[in-house]
């Protein structure tokens, strides 16, 4: 039986267009999906848009549009952007999709029937930006801490999910499964929320239609719509086929969530208790990353520092931007984007290090071996060393990808690039080629370089797919990724076969100037 893997991104609100933050999460998910497909696992990659609630209704009204027309437009921009940059999702879910609405109503009915939802009057301070009532801790000087705007006082009769009755169970589960939420700092944050209360109470899950109609109707009271977070989280089930697609169970049993720290509470507290109440198993892991700041400032529309993925593609090529995002953020910690740092990365790692290895290997293969992968003339300790480095890189990439450390996986691949460049420097085939008697050594060196490049390209496949394909094509191995099985194929170090025709090509990554 093949192994399964399912990865999700948050479904993004359609009140902003895709920026560096959404792009990072989506690119990490795409890289993981590509990696697990290459590892031979049956993989399902889910992304989409979150379209209900006050915040979206407000944004639509500002644009003078009906909510559905507005969400169609922005959701389309997200989907088109992901298509343009080659995000390999399997399902793009919208919370306005009929199957999502049915999944939400099915789950609500189930939780209601078993007595975990009741009706109460509530009064409090509500932030439209957060889509929830605030507690004292959520406010600074009377303003919402996150949105820096004054909350509104609201009094309503509403339905509540009796979340608190599951808190002891959740605490015990987090003790028993220490990496359920990872990295550890975020697990500790959730444990602290449970310990300190952090304003955590039973969850108000309805909005009266008298105030908000833009939402999913409660199946047990037609005067109310569902609170947007309760609705949104269920996308993960709906997108995988809940309630009745036969594929649902295996996908859900392999589910990995990817989110940033801003939405830790709904994913670390609301969601597991909802699943428990609905009698469903938990996700495999909640993988939480930090925040991208731009020029050391928070991203915001008013600062105009959102960084559009399409603009980055236009200027640097998408693989270069993708590489930077994956390499420069230590998964779990915050990172800072500056165009200088991007340019430095492109020049140091892609143009100089990788690009140089590709160009010198293929140029010398053209010059000394008629453009064909040469037959080696034996192999010594130095060749063994490069082969060992390749085996080690493939092993390390597998370990880091399964631990959600894409930056470390890339560092491991570049350790192999470095080792191969050092090997070429030490063997100096351009010098050896001056002596006819040493041509066997030249052939061995270039054969080893072609094999190392082949392994490097396979390992880079999930991270920089177009670049990997291009290197493989130049090595005469077009399409090798389609039949590769990571980590084994990259560790095997047995292709391309001698006699394969190679092609020099242009510089893979031309050096770029700082802006
Ligand atoms: N709609 C909710 C999520 C519902 S999931 C059931 C939402 N949407 S959002 O559009 O605000 O997206 C938040 C997510 O976008 C973050 O968790 C993260 O994945 C990504 N990012 C947005 N800004 C970010 C940064 N500045 N840095 C890194 N990622 C961030 O919350």
């Amino acid at each position: 039986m093949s192994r399964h893997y399912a990865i999700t991104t948050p479904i993004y609100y359609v009140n902003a267009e895709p920026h560096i933050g959404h792009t990072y999460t989506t690119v990490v998910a795409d890289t993981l999906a590509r990696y697990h497909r290459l590892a031979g696992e049956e993989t399902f990659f889910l992304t989409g848009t979150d379209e209900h609630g006050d915040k979206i209704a407000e944004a639509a009204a500002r644009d003078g549009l009906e909510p559905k027309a507005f969400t169609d437009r922005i959701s389309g921009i997200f989907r088109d952007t992901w298509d343009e940059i080659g995000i390999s999702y399997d399902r793009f879910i919208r919370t306005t999709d009929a199957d999502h609405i049915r999944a939400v109503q099915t789950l609500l009915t189930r939780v209601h029937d078993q007595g975990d939802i009741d009706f109460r009057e509530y009064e409090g301070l509500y932030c439209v930006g957060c889509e929830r009532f605030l507690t004292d801790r959520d406010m600074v000087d009377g303003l919402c801490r996150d949105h820096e705007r004054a909350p509104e006082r609201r009094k309503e009769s509403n339905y509540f999910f009796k979340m608190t009755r599951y808190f002891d169970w959740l605490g015990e589960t987090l003790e028993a499964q220490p990496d359920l939420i990872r990295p550890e700092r975020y697990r500790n944050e959730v444990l602290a929320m449970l310990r300190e209360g952090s304003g955590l109470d039973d969850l108000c899950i309805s909005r009266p239609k008298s105030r908000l109609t833009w939402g999913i109707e409660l199946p047990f009271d037609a005067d109310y719509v569902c609170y947007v977070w309760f609705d949104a989280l269920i996308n993960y089930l709906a997108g995988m086929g809940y309630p009745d697609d036969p594929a649902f169970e295996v996908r859900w049993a392999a589910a990995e969530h990817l989110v940033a720290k801003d939405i830790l509470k709904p994913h670390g507290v609301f969601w597991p208790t909802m699943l428990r109440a609905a009698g469903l198993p938990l996700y495999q892991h909640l993988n939480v990353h930090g925040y991208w700041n731009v020029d050391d400032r928070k991203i915001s529309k008013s600062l105009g520092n959102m960084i559009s993925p399409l603009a980055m593609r236009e200027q640097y090529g998408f693989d270069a931007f993708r590489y930077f995002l994956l390499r420069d953020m230590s998964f779990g910690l915050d990172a800072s984007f500056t165009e200088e740092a991007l340019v430095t990365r492109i020049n140091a790692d892609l143009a100089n290090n990788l690009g140089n290895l590709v160009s010198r290997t293929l140029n010398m293969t053209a010059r000394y071996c008629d453009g064909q992968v040469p037959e080696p003339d034996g192999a010594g300790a130095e060749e063994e060393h490069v082969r060992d480095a390749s085996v080690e890189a493939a092993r390390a990439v597998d370990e880091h990808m399964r631990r959600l450390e894409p930056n470390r996986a890339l560092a491991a691949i570049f350790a192999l690039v470095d080792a191969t460049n050092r090997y070429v420097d030490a063997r100096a085939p351009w010098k050896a080629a001056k002596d006819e008697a040493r041509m066997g050594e030249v052939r061995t060196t270039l054969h080893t370089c072609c094999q190392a490049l082949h392994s490097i390209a396979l390992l880079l496949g999930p991270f920089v797919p177009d670049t990997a394909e291009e290197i493989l094509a130049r090595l005469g191995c077009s399409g090798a990724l389609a039949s590769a099985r990571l980590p084994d194929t990259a560790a095997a170090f047995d292709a391309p076969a001698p006699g394969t025709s190679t092609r020099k090509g242009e510089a893979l990554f031309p050096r770029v100037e700082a802006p």
Side-chain angles (χ1 to χ4, degrees):
M1 202 187 73
S2 73
R3 285 170 71 187
H4 286 260
Y5 182 79
I7 181 75
T8 69
T9 71
I11 46 170
Y12 303 113
Y13 286 131
V14 288
N15 60 351
E17 294 189 8
H19 58 59
I20 184 173
H22 312 118
T23 307
Y24 175 74
T25 316
T26 307
V27 161
V28 173
D30 181 63
T31 304
L32 287 163
R34 287 173 188 268
Y35 186 79
H36 286 270
R37 283 187 203 115
L38 280 172
E41 290 159 48
E42 197 132 321
T43 298
F44 188 77
F45 172 10
L46 177 67
T47 189
T49 44
D50 187 355
E51 308 186 10
H52 291 127
D54 304 81
K55 202 169 13 177
I56 307 300
E58 270 190 4
R62 266 199 309 273
D63 275 17
L65 286 172
E66 284 301 311
K68 184 63 169 64
F70 175 79
T71 61
D72 282 350
R73 181 160 64 83
I74 314 278
S75 177
I77 294 176
F78 270 93
R79 191 176 179 141
D80 290 347
T81 303
W82 302 152
D83 288 343
E84 281 271 311
I85 59 177
I87 300 299
S88 63
Y89 60 82
D90 294 294
R91 167 90 194 261
F92 185 98
I93 193 169
R94 301 180 55 184
T95 53
T96 47
D97 288 342
D99 63 340
H100 172 78
I101 294 171
R102 197 164 70 86
V104 171
Q105 292 183 330
T106 305
L107 191 129
L108 276 167
T109 303
R110 188 157 170 189
V111 176
H112 186 246
D113 284 353
Q114 73 161 51
D116 271 342
I117 293 177
D118 63 7
F119 195 58
R120 305 176 195 164
E121 181 159 279
Y122 183 85
E123 179 170 357
L125 293 170
Y126 188 89
C127 172
V128 174
C130 299
E131 299 281 13
R132 61 183 173 87
F133 285 98
L134 302 183
T135 63
D136 290 347
R137 286 161 191 267
D138 296 320
M139 288 183 285
V140 183
D141 299 333
L143 301 181
C144 165
R145 187 186 289 277
D146 285 342
H147 294 91
E148 293 171 10
R149 66 194 260 187
E152 300 163 17
R153 177 155 292 278
R154 288 188 184 176
K155 187 173 182 182
E156 281 175 4
S157 286
N158 270 306
Y159 287 90
F160 283 75
F161 167 47
K162 297 186 208 163
M163 185 165 77
T164 48
R165 58 158 67 167
Y166 293 105
F167 283 179
D168 287 346
W169 162 82
L170 181 57
E172 286 158 19
T173 303
L174 288 170
E175 295 297 345
Q177 287 170 251
D179 70 345
L180 182 69
I181 299 177
R182 61 187 181 183
E184 199 185 357
R185 58 196 294 131
Y186 297 111
R187 165 190 180 254
N188 293 341
E189 270 187 39
V190 171
L191 281 171
M193 286 178 204
L194 293 173
R195 216 173 27 243
E196 292 157 17
S198 294
L200 280 173
D201 212 332
D202 286 342
L203 188 66
C204 177
I205 58 156
S206 64
R207 298 291 177 266
K209 276 195 190 164
S210 53
R211 185 161 63 68
L212 174 76
T213 52
W214 182 236
I216 297 177
E217 190 176 288
L218 295 189
F220 42 82
D221 190 337
D223 290 337
Y224 286 84
V225 294
C226 183
Y227 166 51
V228 63
W229 264 108
F230 203 90
D231 157 357
L233 287 160
I234 297 169
N235 94 84
Y236 298 132
L237 301 177
M240 295 196 197
Y242 179 83
D244 42 27
D245 184 330
F248 169 68
E249 227 167 283
V250 282
R251 284 182 188 147
W252 181 248
E256 295 279 339
H257 294 316
L258 193 61
V259 299
K261 62 183 187 181
D262 56 332
I263 51 178
L264 178 61
K265 193 193 279 184
H267 285 82
V269 181
F270 303 175
W271 186 221
T273 56
M274 286 167 67
L275 288 166
R276 178 75 173 170
L280 289 164
L282 284 185
Y283 42 74
Q284 289 299 295
H285 298 102
L286 174 63
N287 304 286
V288 187
H289 64 77
Y291 243 47
W292 278 100
N293 296 314
V294 172
D295 296 321
D296 290 323
R297 304 180 73 171
K298 231 178 136 170
I299 297 173
S300 82
K301 252 187 195 166
S302 52
L303 287 174
N305 61 351
M306 317 275 284
I307 308 291
S308 141
L310 295 181
M312 287 292 112
R313 180 183 70 153
E314 189 66 28
Q315 197 160 353
Y316 301 102
F318 197 68
D319 268 3
F321 184 55
R322 203 177 148 114
Y323 175 77
F324 171 82
L325 291 178
L326 292 166
R327 183 72 187 84
D328 259 47
M329 175 174 266
S330 291
F331 194 90
L333 303 178
D334 290 353
S336 186
F337 174 87
T338 64
E339 228 160 316
E340 289 74 21
L342 170 65
V343 166
T344 304
R345 270 283 175 210
I346 295 176
N347 287 338
D349 294 5
L350 300 178
N352 291 355
N353 210 352
L354 176 66
N356 190 28
L357 179 63
V358 171
S359 70
R360 57 188 184 157
T361 299
L362 296 174
N363 284 336
M364 287 190 284
T365 303
R367 184 167 328 142
Y368 307 129
C369 309
D370 297 328
Q372 296 194 339
V373 177
E375 188 75 54
D377 185 20
E382 285 167 294
E383 284 72 33
E384 268 316 301
H385 185 72
V386 181
R387 174 190 287 267
D388 290 347
S390 170
V391 172
E392 169 53 20
R395 189 205 60 74
V397 169
D398 193 63
E399 178 184 319
H400 292 310
M401 290 309 271
R402 290 179 194 280
R403 282 202 201 148
L404 257 285
E405 298 166 335
N407 51 307
R408 292 196 169 163
L410 275 174
I413 302 172
F414 275 76
L416 175 59
V417 176
D418 284 336
T420 313
N421 268 323
R422 279 197 305 272
Y423 165 75
V424 189
D425 292 341
R427 299 283 279 177
W430 54 91
K431 280 191 198 147
K434 291 186 179 140
D435 180 353
E436 193 49 43
R438 292 179 66 196
M439 280 314 282
E441 180 188 323
V442 172
R443 285 196 296 276
T444 299
T445 306
L446 292 175
H447 177 252
T448 305
C449 288
C450 288
Q451 287 187 318
L453 259 189
H454 183 261
S455 292
I456 289 164
L458 292 175
L459 291 172
L460 283 175
F463 300 86
V464 281
D466 293 346
T467 304
E469 290 286 0
E470 177 60 20
I471 297 174
L472 289 166
R474 292 185 191 187
L475 284 170
C477 301
S478 288
L481 272 167
S483 56
R485 181 55 71 88
L486 292 185
D488 303 344
T489 323
F493 208 70
D494 59 359
T500 306
S501 294
T502 65
R503 178 167 54 79
K504 285 195 293 188
E506 307 273 289
L508 201 57
F509 288 98
R511 282 185 65 84
V512 287
E513 297 298 325

